[in-house]
Amino acid sequence: MSVAILIATSFSLGFFVESIIGTGGGLVAYAILGFFMNIKEMILSGLYIGTCSSSYIAYTDHKAFNKKLFLSIFPICLTGTILGVIIFSKVDPKILSLILGLLLILIATKSIFFDSFVLPKFLRNKLLFIGGISHGAFGIGGPFVINAIQRDFANKSELRTTMAIYFATFNIIRIIQLIIQNQISLEFVKEIWWVIIPVFVAIKLGHKVHLKISENFLRKSILVVTFCAGVKFLINSI
């Protein structure tokens, strides 16, 4: 039960943040859970909670969905996601921990020190593919995808909803692939099924304040925690 409470607390905080800024739910939760849980169980718990949470976020503001943009990135992100799930299934946990640690440090460093730097358009498809792989393997492809398409969103609500639909859609694809590969334990899901309830409460609260709250301090604080978690995952891989 104590592990389930830790999962509930971590993802409630994470998706409160995601409902405000459009991404980062998994990053925040992993930054906390990485100190306490096996990496594969952590990622699978994120898959369950992330799918339910992202679906709920999308439902609360579905009119802001940019369907045309979503369909334009779907093929390349799908390819990356399928490859990422294979990596998750086949690669040793210590290597997964090393890769995840490096990704978290890269994301945090870029966002803390080079947040205003806009990557060139010719890198768009490369970032989308990397985002797909990262999402398939770890569920954290959002920062790469947003860096690729952030100029295509009309406003924050459109980004928030479109990315929520991105997460929900590709998580369902991950679930199907992991079931086929016998990587999901229904017993584990039964143990943590209830944690989605406090997460939904946190999302609702985040939705109420997402147009009013100042994001900068919140974002920077989360990125510092993400960087520290990345270092912890690197240590775990040794």
Side-chain angles (χ1 to χ4, degrees), residues 6-7 9 22 29 39 60 66 83 96 121 168 188 217:
L6 180 62
I7 291 171
T9 303
I39 186 170
T60 60
N66 188 329
L83 178 57
L96 283 177
K121 283 188 175 182
F188 179 66
F217 176 75

Side-chain angles (χ1 to χ4, degrees), residues 89-126:
S89 303
K90 304 295 184 183
V91 172
D92 181 87
K94 282 187 176 277
I95 298 176
L96 283 177
S97 186
L98 172 64
I99 296 170
L100 180 57
L102 290 172
L103 281 174
L104 293 178
I105 291 171
L106 176 63
I107 291 168
T109 302
K110 191 273 176 188
S111 298
I112 292 171
F113 298 107
F114 307 102
D115 197 32
S116 60
F117 177 71
V118 179
L119 293 168
K121 283 188 175 182
F122 72 85
L123 292 176
R124 182 179 189 269
N125 286 344
K126 293 180 178 63

Side-chain angles (χ1 to χ4, degrees), residues 164-202:
I165 291 175
Y166 167 90
F167 293 134
T169 301
F170 287 101
N171 276 351
I172 291 170
I173 291 168
R174 290 169 69 205
I175 289 170
I176 293 170
Q177 191 174 348
L178 287 167
I179 289 173
I180 293 171
Q181 296 175 190
N182 296 315
Q183 292 291 312
I184 293 181
S185 166
L186 291 180
E187 288 302 315
F188 179 66
V189 176
K190 286 178 183 178
E191 289 176 12
I192 66 168
W193 69 268
W194 62 270
V195 305
I196 197 62
I197 298 171
V199 172
F200 277 167
V201 173

Side-chain angles (χ1 to χ4, degrees), residues 221-232:
S221 299
I222 290 164
L223 290 170
V224 170
V225 175
T226 300
F227 183 90
C228 293
V231 173
K232 176 64 167 56

Side-chain angles (χ1 to χ4, degrees), residues 7-22:
I7 291 171
T9 303
S10 302
F11 279 99
S12 293
L13 178 59
F15 280 94
F16 171 76
V17 171
E18 180 162 318
S19 68
I20 296 172
I21 66 176

